[in-house]
Amino acid sequence: QQQVKQSPQSLIVQKGGISIINCAYENTAFDYFPWYQQFPGKGPALLIAIRPDVSEKKEGRFTISFNKSAKQFSLHIMDSQPGDSATYFCAASVGEKLTFGTGTRLTIIP
Amino acid sequence: GAVVSQHPSWVICKSGTSVKIECRSLDFQATTMFWYRQFPKQSLMLMATSNEGSKATYEQGVEKDKFLINHASLTLSTLTVTSAHPEDSSFYICSARGGGGASRTDTQYFGPGTRLTVL
């Protein structure tokens, strides 16, 4: 009930391309969906977040698409750059407790 | 804004000793702090949630007597790993949620993590 499933586990994208990471959830009570970026040996940093009352949110090169009926949400990174190479975690929460996805290791190649 | 610090960033200790990790919110008041554990190439697993001035709430399977959490003020929480053993070696990350300053009340802000190695 509390799981958040994330795919793919790893992703390789060419520089300038679009990186897409998907997440699905079961608990319809979740009301906050953040994405975090984590570099090796560092803590996660909030990238962008969305609430279920909107279907899309864009901040710079990062966009969250949210499909409430399908219980899915995704992160799109436009014009991907080598500096975007990191592990990305989706998460969902109801109240204050976050449930994390399993993570996607993104590698941007020249 | 909304910066969370952790100290130390890494620590090596002998089996059987205790280790204390500090988590501080630098520019906002953290009404709630969270402690996570992360194994290599794995996701973050919530260990416990603490509110300032009250006892921590531990997740199922986390030994409260082994992982002592104290949330002494609105800017400081500590995690003490008691009688550490090699299987406790991990990356421990705290996060804080609160309000005021540069923080949003609905967002958890993460610290940089502490790498614990128990020999």
mmCIF file of all heavy atoms in Angstrom, chain A residues 16-46:
data_model
loop_
_atom_site.group_PDB
_atom_site.id
_atom_site.type_symbol
_atom_site.label_atom_id
_atom_site.label_comp_id
_atom_site.label_asym_id
_atom_site.label_seq_id
_atom_site.Cartn_x
_atom_site.Cartn_y
_atom_site.Cartn_z
ATOM 1 N N GLY A 16 22.105 16.596 -24.313
ATOM 2 C CA GLY A 16 21.126 17.327 -25.103
ATOM 3 C C GLY A 16 19.800 16.611 -25.255
ATOM 4 O O GLY A 16 18.807 17.198 -25.689
ATOM 5 N N GLY A 17 19.762 15.346 -24.872
ATOM 6 C CA GLY A 17 18.537 14.561 -24.994
ATOM 7 C C GLY A 17 17.594 14.758 -23.811
ATOM 8 O O GLY A 17 17.864 15.541 -22.896
ATOM 9 N N ILE A 18 16.489 14.045 -23.852
ATOM 10 C CA ILE A 18 15.490 14.124 -22.775
ATOM 11 C C ILE A 18 15.588 12.861 -21.905
ATOM 12 O O ILE A 18 15.536 11.741 -22.418
ATOM 13 C CB ILE A 18 14.068 14.228 -23.343
ATOM 14 C CG1 ILE A 18 13.947 15.436 -24.275
ATOM 15 C CG2 ILE A 18 13.045 14.330 -22.203
ATOM 16 C CD1 ILE A 18 12.618 15.525 -25.000
ATOM 17 N N SER A 19 15.727 13.074 -20.612
ATOM 18 C CA SER A 19 15.748 11.955 -19.655
ATOM 19 C C SER A 19 14.359 11.844 -19.045
ATOM 20 O O SER A 19 13.793 12.847 -18.597
ATOM 21 C CB SER A 19 16.783 12.206 -18.558
ATOM 22 O OG SER A 19 18.067 12.422 -19.112
ATOM 23 N N ILE A 20 13.838 10.624 -19.025
ATOM 24 C CA ILE A 20 12.498 10.419 -18.476
ATOM 25 C C ILE A 20 12.540 9.299 -17.441
ATOM 26 O O ILE A 20 12.995 8.193 -17.724
ATOM 27 C CB ILE A 20 11.490 10.049 -19.581
ATOM 28 C CG1 ILE A 20 11.436 11.154 -20.645
ATOM 29 C CG2 ILE A 20 10.093 9.837 -18.970
ATOM 30 C CD1 ILE A 20 10.572 10.814 -21.840
ATOM 31 N N ILE A 21 12.062 9.592 -16.255
ATOM 32 C CA ILE A 21 12.017 8.622 -15.158
ATOM 33 C C ILE A 21 10.570 8.545 -14.676
ATOM 34 O O ILE A 21 9.915 9.569 -14.511
ATOM 35 C CB ILE A 21 12.935 9.039 -13.996
ATOM 36 C CG1 ILE A 21 14.366 9.261 -14.500
ATOM 37 C CG2 ILE A 21 12.914 7.990 -12.894
ATOM 38 C CD1 ILE A 21 15.288 9.893 -13.484
ATOM 39 N N ASN A 22 10.103 7.317 -14.465
ATOM 40 C CA ASN A 22 8.704 7.109 -14.133
ATOM 41 C C ASN A 22 8.509 6.531 -12.740
ATOM 42 O O ASN A 22 9.325 5.744 -12.268
ATOM 43 C CB ASN A 22 8.078 6.148 -15.142
ATOM 44 C CG ASN A 22 8.178 6.679 -16.554
ATOM 45 O OD1 ASN A 22 7.620 7.719 -16.889
ATOM 46 N ND2 ASN A 22 8.929 5.981 -17.392
ATOM 47 N N CYS A 23 7.416 6.908 -12.116
ATOM 48 C CA CYS A 23 7.046 6.352 -10.815
ATOM 49 C C CYS A 23 5.555 6.055 -10.774
ATOM 50 O O CYS A 23 4.761 6.749 -11.415
ATOM 51 C CB CYS A 23 7.425 7.300 -9.687
ATOM 52 S SG CYS A 23 9.192 7.294 -9.330
ATOM 53 N N ALA A 24 5.205 5.027 -10.018
ATOM 54 C CA ALA A 24 3.810 4.654 -9.843
ATOM 55 C C ALA A 24 3.560 4.386 -8.368
ATOM 56 O O ALA A 24 4.454 3.908 -7.659
ATOM 57 C CB ALA A 24 3.482 3.423 -10.677
ATOM 58 N N TYR A 25 2.368 4.682 -7.924
ATOM 59 C CA TYR A 25 2.044 4.499 -6.514
ATOM 60 C C TYR A 25 0.690 3.828 -6.373
ATOM 61 O O TYR A 25 -0.103 3.773 -7.322
ATOM 62 C CB TYR A 25 2.069 5.848 -5.780
ATOM 63 C CG TYR A 25 1.048 6.841 -6.280
ATOM 64 C CD1 TYR A 25 -0.187 6.997 -5.650
ATOM 65 C CD2 TYR A 25 1.319 7.639 -7.395
ATOM 66 C CE1 TYR A 25 -1.120 7.909 -6.114
ATOM 67 C CE2 TYR A 25 0.396 8.548 -7.868
ATOM 68 C CZ TYR A 25 -0.828 8.685 -7.229
ATOM 69 O OH TYR A 25 -1.757 9.586 -7.698
ATOM 70 N N GLU A 26 0.439 3.304 -5.180
ATOM 71 C CA GLU A 26 -0.823 2.615 -4.905
ATOM 72 C C GLU A 26 -1.737 3.421 -3.983
ATOM 73 O O GLU A 26 -2.949 3.435 -4.150
ATOM 74 C CB GLU A 26 -0.538 1.255 -4.260
ATOM 75 C CG GLU A 26 0.137 0.247 -5.183
ATOM 76 C CD GLU A 26 -0.791 -0.176 -6.310
ATOM 77 O OE1 GLU A 26 -2.013 -0.276 -6.082
ATOM 78 O OE2 GLU A 26 -0.287 -0.394 -7.438
ATOM 79 N N ASN A 27 -1.122 4.083 -3.017
ATOM 80 C CA ASN A 27 -1.905 4.750 -1.975
ATOM 81 C C ASN A 27 -2.514 6.060 -2.485
ATOM 82 O O ASN A 27 -1.807 7.042 -2.722
ATOM 83 C CB ASN A 27 -0.997 5.020 -0.774
ATOM 84 C CG ASN A 27 -1.772 5.564 0.419
ATOM 85 O OD1 ASN A 27 -2.965 5.846 0.334
ATOM 86 N ND2 ASN A 27 -1.092 5.712 1.540
ATOM 87 N N THR A 28 -3.806 6.074 -2.669
ATOM 88 C CA THR A 28 -4.471 7.260 -3.210
ATOM 89 C C THR A 28 -4.510 8.417 -2.216
ATOM 90 O O THR A 28 -4.903 9.529 -2.570
ATOM 91 C CB THR A 28 -5.905 6.917 -3.637
ATOM 92 O OG1 THR A 28 -6.601 6.337 -2.522
ATOM 93 C CG2 THR A 28 -5.904 5.930 -4.792
ATOM 94 N N ALA A 29 -4.088 8.167 -0.998
ATOM 95 C CA ALA A 29 -4.042 9.244 0.001
ATOM 96 C C ALA A 29 -2.793 10.110 -0.137
ATOM 97 O O ALA A 29 -2.737 11.204 0.432
ATOM 98 C CB ALA A 29 -4.107 8.656 1.404
ATOM 99 N N PHE A 30 -1.806 9.647 -0.897
ATOM 100 C CA PHE A 30 -0.610 10.462 -1.111
ATOM 101 C C PHE A 30 -1.024 11.812 -1.701
ATOM 102 O O PHE A 30 -1.831 11.874 -2.638
ATOM 103 C CB PHE A 30 0.365 9.776 -2.072
ATOM 104 C CG PHE A 30 1.126 8.634 -1.476
ATOM 105 C CD1 PHE A 30 1.388 7.506 -2.239
ATOM 106 C CD2 PHE A 30 1.630 8.682 -0.194
ATOM 107 C CE1 PHE A 30 2.112 6.438 -1.722
ATOM 108 C CE2 PHE A 30 2.352 7.636 0.343
ATOM 109 C CZ PHE A 30 2.591 6.502 -0.426
ATOM 110 N N ASP A 31 -0.452 12.896 -1.156
ATOM 111 C CA ASP A 31 -0.853 14.208 -1.645
ATOM 112 C C ASP A 31 0.324 15.127 -1.943
ATOM 113 O O ASP A 31 0.140 16.335 -2.152
ATOM 114 C CB ASP A 31 -1.802 14.871 -0.638
ATOM 115 C CG ASP A 31 -1.160 15.065 0.731
ATOM 116 O OD1 ASP A 31 0.026 14.703 0.900
ATOM 117 O OD2 ASP A 31 -1.841 15.576 1.636
ATOM 118 N N TYR A 32 1.520 14.566 -1.966
ATOM 119 C CA TYR A 32 2.694 15.397 -2.235
ATOM 120 C C TYR A 32 3.734 14.502 -2.883
ATOM 121 O O TYR A 32 4.031 13.415 -2.359
ATOM 122 C CB TYR A 32 3.209 16.005 -0.931
ATOM 123 C CG TYR A 32 4.450 16.861 -1.058
ATOM 124 C CD1 TYR A 32 4.425 18.072 -1.733
ATOM 125 C CD2 TYR A 32 5.635 16.453 -0.477
ATOM 126 C CE1 TYR A 32 5.563 18.857 -1.829
ATOM 127 C CE2 TYR A 32 6.784 17.231 -0.579
ATOM 128 C CZ TYR A 32 6.734 18.436 -1.251
ATOM 129 O OH TYR A 32 7.863 19.212 -1.348
ATOM 130 N N PHE A 33 4.268 14.933 -4.030
ATOM 131 C CA PHE A 33 5.140 14.076 -4.827
ATOM 132 C C PHE A 33 6.409 14.856 -5.214
ATOM 133 O O PHE A 33 6.443 15.552 -6.219
ATOM 134 C CB PHE A 33 4.400 13.602 -6.088
ATOM 135 C CG PHE A 33 3.134 12.849 -5.789
ATOM 136 C CD1 PHE A 33 1.926 13.520 -5.628
ATOM 137 C CD2 PHE A 33 3.149 11.466 -5.661
ATOM 138 C CE1 PHE A 33 0.754 12.834 -5.340
ATOM 139 C CE2 PHE A 33 1.975 10.764 -5.384
ATOM 140 C CZ PHE A 33 0.786 11.451 -5.218
ATOM 141 N N PRO A 34 7.463 14.708 -4.423
ATOM 142 C CA PRO A 34 8.715 15.386 -4.737
ATOM 143 C C PRO A 34 9.683 14.477 -5.484
ATOM 144 O O PRO A 34 9.589 13.239 -5.423
ATOM 145 C CB PRO A 34 9.282 15.716 -3.343
ATOM 146 C CG PRO A 34 8.773 14.607 -2.478
ATOM 147 C CD PRO A 34 7.453 14.158 -3.062
ATOM 148 N N TRP A 35 10.607 15.088 -6.184
ATOM 149 C CA TRP A 35 11.732 14.389 -6.797
ATOM 150 C C TRP A 35 13.009 14.917 -6.152
ATOM 151 O O TRP A 35 13.176 16.133 -5.972
ATOM 152 C CB TRP A 35 11.780 14.638 -8.299
ATOM 153 C CG TRP A 35 10.760 13.859 -9.067
ATOM 154 C CD1 TRP A 35 9.484 14.225 -9.367
ATOM 155 C CD2 TRP A 35 10.950 12.559 -9.643
ATOM 156 N NE1 TRP A 35 8.853 13.246 -10.082
ATOM 157 C CE2 TRP A 35 9.726 12.212 -10.285
ATOM 158 C CE3 TRP A 35 12.011 11.660 -9.701
ATOM 159 C CZ2 TRP A 35 9.546 11.005 -10.959
ATOM 160 C CZ3 TRP A 35 11.834 10.463 -10.385
ATOM 161 C CH2 TRP A 35 10.615 10.137 -11.001
ATOM 162 N N TYR A 36 13.911 13.988 -5.839
ATOM 163 C CA TYR A 36 15.182 14.350 -5.239
ATOM 164 C C TYR A 36 16.324 13.890 -6.138
ATOM 165 O O TYR A 36 16.245 12.862 -6.805
ATOM 166 C CB TYR A 36 15.334 13.705 -3.856
ATOM 167 C CG TYR A 36 14.487 14.350 -2.777
ATOM 168 C CD1 TYR A 36 13.182 13.932 -2.556
ATOM 169 C CD2 TYR A 36 14.997 15.369 -1.993
ATOM 170 C CE1 TYR A 36 12.403 14.523 -1.571
ATOM 171 C CE2 TYR A 36 14.231 15.963 -1.002
ATOM 172 C CZ TYR A 36 12.928 15.539 -0.805
ATOM 173 O OH TYR A 36 12.166 16.125 0.172
ATOM 174 N N GLN A 37 17.398 14.668 -6.108
ATOM 175 C CA GLN A 37 18.619 14.358 -6.855
ATOM 176 C C GLN A 37 19.715 14.092 -5.839
ATOM 177 O O GLN A 37 19.885 14.861 -4.877
ATOM 178 C CB GLN A 37 19.001 15.565 -7.729
ATOM 179 C CG GLN A 37 20.265 15.422 -8.530
ATOM 180 C CD GLN A 37 20.655 16.744 -9.192
ATOM 181 O OE1 GLN A 37 20.830 17.764 -8.520
ATOM 182 N NE2 GLN A 37 20.770 16.758 -10.513
ATOM 183 N N GLN A 38 20.444 13.010 -6.031
ATOM 184 C CA GLN A 38 21.505 12.679 -5.083
ATOM 185 C C GLN A 38 22.798 12.362 -5.818
ATOM 186 O O GLN A 38 22.834 11.499 -6.703
ATOM 187 C CB GLN A 38 21.107 11.485 -4.202
ATOM 188 C CG GLN A 38 22.120 11.185 -3.104
ATOM 189 C CD GLN A 38 21.719 10.012 -2.225
ATOM 190 O OE1 GLN A 38 21.042 9.101 -2.672
ATOM 191 N NE2 GLN A 38 22.137 10.037 -0.967
ATOM 192 N N PHE A 39 23.862 13.060 -5.426
ATOM 193 C CA PHE A 39 25.193 12.771 -5.945
ATOM 194 C C PHE A 39 25.891 11.827 -4.966
ATOM 195 O O PHE A 39 25.560 11.807 -3.773
ATOM 196 C CB PHE A 39 25.982 14.067 -6.125
ATOM 197 C CG PHE A 39 25.429 14.953 -7.215
ATOM 198 C CD1 PHE A 39 24.685 16.081 -6.905
ATOM 199 C CD2 PHE A 39 25.641 14.640 -8.546
ATOM 200 C CE1 PHE A 39 24.159 16.877 -7.903
ATOM 201 C CE2 PHE A 39 25.119 15.439 -9.557
ATOM 202 C CZ PHE A 39 24.375 16.554 -9.235
ATOM 203 N N PRO A 40 26.871 11.056 -5.450
ATOM 204 C CA PRO A 40 27.543 10.081 -4.580
ATOM 205 C C PRO A 40 28.108 10.729 -3.321
ATOM 206 O O PRO A 40 28.768 11.764 -3.378
ATOM 207 C CB PRO A 40 28.655 9.542 -5.486
ATOM 208 C CG PRO A 40 28.132 9.704 -6.862
ATOM 209 C CD PRO A 40 27.353 10.979 -6.850
ATOM 210 N N GLY A 41 27.838 10.116 -2.176
ATOM 211 C CA GLY A 41 28.362 10.608 -0.917
ATOM 212 C C GLY A 41 27.684 11.849 -0.383
ATOM 213 O O GLY A 41 28.160 12.446 0.595
ATOM 214 N N LYS A 42 26.570 12.250 -0.979
ATOM 215 C CA LYS A 42 25.844 13.433 -0.551
ATOM 216 C C LYS A 42 24.410 13.081 -0.197
ATOM 217 O O LYS A 42 23.893 12.049 -0.601
ATOM 218 C CB LYS A 42 25.843 14.499 -1.655
ATOM 219 C CG LYS A 42 27.227 14.909 -2.117
ATOM 220 C CD LYS A 42 27.984 15.640 -1.017
ATOM 221 C CE LYS A 42 29.337 16.126 -1.516
ATOM 222 N NZ LYS A 42 30.123 16.764 -0.415
ATOM 223 N N GLY A 43 23.759 13.978 0.538
ATOM 224 C CA GLY A 43 22.355 13.783 0.822
ATOM 225 C C GLY A 43 21.496 14.190 -0.369
ATOM 226 O O GLY A 43 21.948 14.907 -1.252
ATOM 227 N N PRO A 44 20.258 13.715 -0.403
ATOM 228 C CA PRO A 44 19.360 14.084 -1.495
ATOM 229 C C PRO A 44 19.023 15.569 -1.451
ATOM 230 O O PRO A 44 18.883 16.146 -0.371
ATOM 231 C CB PRO A 44 18.105 13.250 -1.228
ATOM 232 C CG PRO A 44 18.499 12.232 -0.228
ATOM 233 C CD PRO A 44 19.620 12.813 0.548
ATOM 234 N N ALA A 45 18.858 16.163 -2.613
ATOM 235 C CA ALA A 45 18.462 17.570 -2.711
ATOM 236 C C ALA A 45 17.142 17.646 -3.458
ATOM 237 O O ALA A 45 16.979 17.005 -4.504
ATOM 238 C CB ALA A 45 19.531 18.378 -3.433
ATOM 239 N N LEU A 46 16.210 18.420 -2.924
ATOM 240 C CA LEU A 46 14.912 18.575 -3.574
ATOM 241 C C LEU A 46 15.081 19.238 -4.926
ATOM 242 O O LEU A 46 15.707 20.289 -5.060
ATOM 243 C CB LEU A 46 13.984 19.408 -2.699
ATOM 244 C CG LEU A 46 12.595 19.675 -3.274
ATOM 245 C CD1 LEU A 46 11.795 18.378 -3.373
ATOM 246 C CD2 LEU A 46 11.854 20.695 -2.425
#
